[in-house]
Structure formats: structure tokens, C-alpha cells
Amino acid sequence: MTTIGLIGAGHIGGQVARLAIKNGYDVVVSNSRGPATLSGLVEELGPRARAATAQEAARAGDIVVVTIPLKNIGSVPVEPLAGKVVIDTNNYYPERDGRIPELDAESTTTAELLQKHLPSSKVVKAFNHIYAAQLTTDGSAPGTPSRRALAIAGDDAAAKQVATELLDGFGFDAVDAGPLAEGWRYQPDTPAYNVRQDAEELRAALAQAKRRTEAG
Ligand SMILES: NC(=O)c1ccc[n+]([C@@H]2O[C@H](COP(=O)([O-])OP(=O)(O)OC[C@H]3O[C@@H](n4cnc5c(N)ncnc54)[C@H](OP(=O)(O)O)[C@@H]3O)[C@@H](O)[C@H]2O)c1
């Protein structure tokens, strides 16, 4: 039995938790204010879900999804995530996160920052370029014509395979955008960002993406 741990249980975390329950996973949700504040979500999710601290969710999860404002990734527990697949949904919004010079200079990417914080984990960037609400409305069965596709990026092939299977179960084709360093190709303000695309369209959008500095 696979447990999905969630660090962050807001718009995206709640939706990923719903999809995980629907797909037969056990779920442990966490946020910054503590498990007692998640009783409504846990009640909705049912008996296979529980709320815990971020530390406990990190420890309990076989796969852990980090889905919090980027400015807070420094608080993500490191040791309990060692060796695990960690899915990163985060985007950089300077108005929310403050200015992060390496991202402004495009010398790194958001998911590389999380990977740097979690050196022994296998970070895969996913679920960051779809509106939260669409996670539970836009999925469809494998093989559905024009099935919606979502991009993944990561430095570990086995972890990307885990993410691909997770996405497939959740109703989406996964398109491999390459290593974490290529994750900028589906960040905000790119052609793939929050647009419904099938796998072929998404591949084209990823190829067309331009760095902010390049785009002017
Ligand atoms: N909303 C979207 O449609 C969407 C789409 C794609 C990607 N994203 C990205 O995904 C991430 C999450 O977005 P969201 O819309 O789900 O955000 P959100 O609704 O604001 O939820 C954020 C969640 O993170 C928790 N959190 C904050 N700091 C934390 C910490 N240090 N440790 C543990 N939990 C913490 C919050 O808990 P408390 O409430 O207790 O503080 C809350 O549960 C962001 O980076 C966002 O840019 C969002």
C-alpha cells in the first residue's frame, strides 16, 4: 500500500489528496498551522486520510508532495524525505515569495532550489501548470483522444517513472520536459502554463518556451 504525504493542504494539496484517495492511496495531509486545522478536509477525504505535522507527513509518505508557497521551502523537513520521491508543485511569484535573486537571474529553477534543500531526495516537478480546480475535472482514462497532458521534470529516471504512473492514474498523460534545470519551460508566463494541451501540444509548447531574459 502506498501512502502519499502532503506538505501543504491548500488549493493544490487538497486536490492532489482527493485524487490520491480516489486512486486507492492512503493520504497524510499537513499544513503550517497544525493537524487540528485540517479536520474538515480529513473528514471529506474519509478513513484512508489523516492529518499530521509536516514532519510526520514527510515520514509517513512513500511519495511526498510539497505544495506550499515557494518562500517557505526552507522549512520542509529534510531527513524524513531522504531517498524518497518528492513532487514539487511550486511556482515563483515574487509578489508572494519576495525576490529570489537566483531565479530572477535564471541561474537556477524553482525545483532545483527544492532539490538543493533536499539533497538526498528525488525531486520531480509536476502539477505546477494546471489550475487546482482542473485537477479533478480535466483528467480522463488512458487512451482518451486529446487526453490532457502535464509536464514533469527531474534528474532521476526512476522517480520520473513513479511520477508518470501517478499522473496516469490521476487522469493525465505525462510529458518529460527533461532534467530539473529545464523546469522553467512550464513556469508562469510560458506557453504551457495553465493551458489545456494534449501530449503533442504540450511538447510543442515546451519547445517554444523562452527564458524571461530572452523573451525581453
Ligand atoms: N492554486 C493553483 O491553482 C496552483 C496551480 C499550480 C501551482 N500552484 C503552486 O503550488 C503551491 C501551492 O499552491 P496553493 O494554491 O495550493 O497554495 P495555498 O492554497 O495557499 O495553500 C498553501 C498550503 O501550504 C501550507 N503551508 C504554507 N507554509 C507551510 C509550511 N512551511 N509547512 C507546511 N505547510 C505550509 C498552507 O498551510 P496554512 O494554511 O496552515 O499556512 C496551505 O495548506 C504554490 O507554490 C503555488 O504557486 C498553485
Side-chain angles (χ1 to χ4, degrees):
M1 196 51 61
T2 304
T3 297
I4 302 213
L6 285 131
I7 298 180
H11 292 96
I12 291 279
Q15 287 288 74
V16 170
R18 290 180 187 100
L19 288 170
I21 291 288
K22 197 173 154 206
N23 280 267
Y25 296 100
D26 288 338
V27 167
V28 182
V29 288
S30 69
N31 63 6
S32 75
R33 286 165 297 145
T37 63
L38 289 167
S39 55
L41 178 62
V42 168
E43 195 176 327
E44 179 203 326
L45 294 171
R48 300 187 67 166
R50 66 184 171 93
T53 63
Q55 188 81 17
E56 288 165 340
R59 198 166 296 287
D62 300 299
I63 302 170
V64 175
V65 182
V66 174
T67 182
I68 63 178
L70 183 68
K71 65 179 175 193
N72 293 349
I73 59 168
S75 74
V76 172
V78 177
E79 184 272 326
L81 293 174
K84 293 185 183 178
V85 175
V86 173
I87 296 189
D88 172 22
T89 82
N90 304 326
N91 288 313
Y92 174 40
Y93 283 107
E95 60 274 26
R96 178 194 64 194
D97 299 316
R99 302 238 66 118
I100 301 175
E102 310 94 284
L103 294 177
D104 289 340
E106 299 188 311
S107 62
T108 190
T109 59
T110 54
E112 285 178 298
L113 288 179
L114 185 64
Q115 181 68 78
K116 196 172 166 192
H117 176 67
L118 303 172
S120 305
S121 304
K122 300 162 198 165
V123 173
V124 180
K125 180 180 180 70
F127 298 121
N128 74 297
H129 68 117
I130 178 170
Y131 290 117
Q134 295 174 349
L135 280 169
T136 49
T137 58
D138 277 26
S140 57
T144 302
S146 294
R147 190 187 199 205
R148 186 163 181 174
L150 295 177
I152 59 168
D155 297 340
D156 184 285
K160 282 204 274 197
Q161 187 55 34
V162 168
T164 297
E165 285 164 21
L166 190 73
L167 278 164
D168 190 46
F170 284 6
F172 303 93
D173 285 339
V175 167
D176 187 351
L180 291 177
E182 295 295 311
W184 63 269
R185 289 184 178 277
Y186 51 107
Q187 71 190 9
D189 303 322
T190 58
Y193 195 68
N194 292 345
V195 180
R196 191 202 185 289
Q197 290 159 334
D198 66 16
E200 196 183 326
E201 292 164 336
L202 177 53
R203 276 188 206 100
L206 293 169
Q208 282 158 14
K210 293 211 179 343
R211 304 297 317 232
R212 286 196 182 98
T213 38
E214 209 185 316

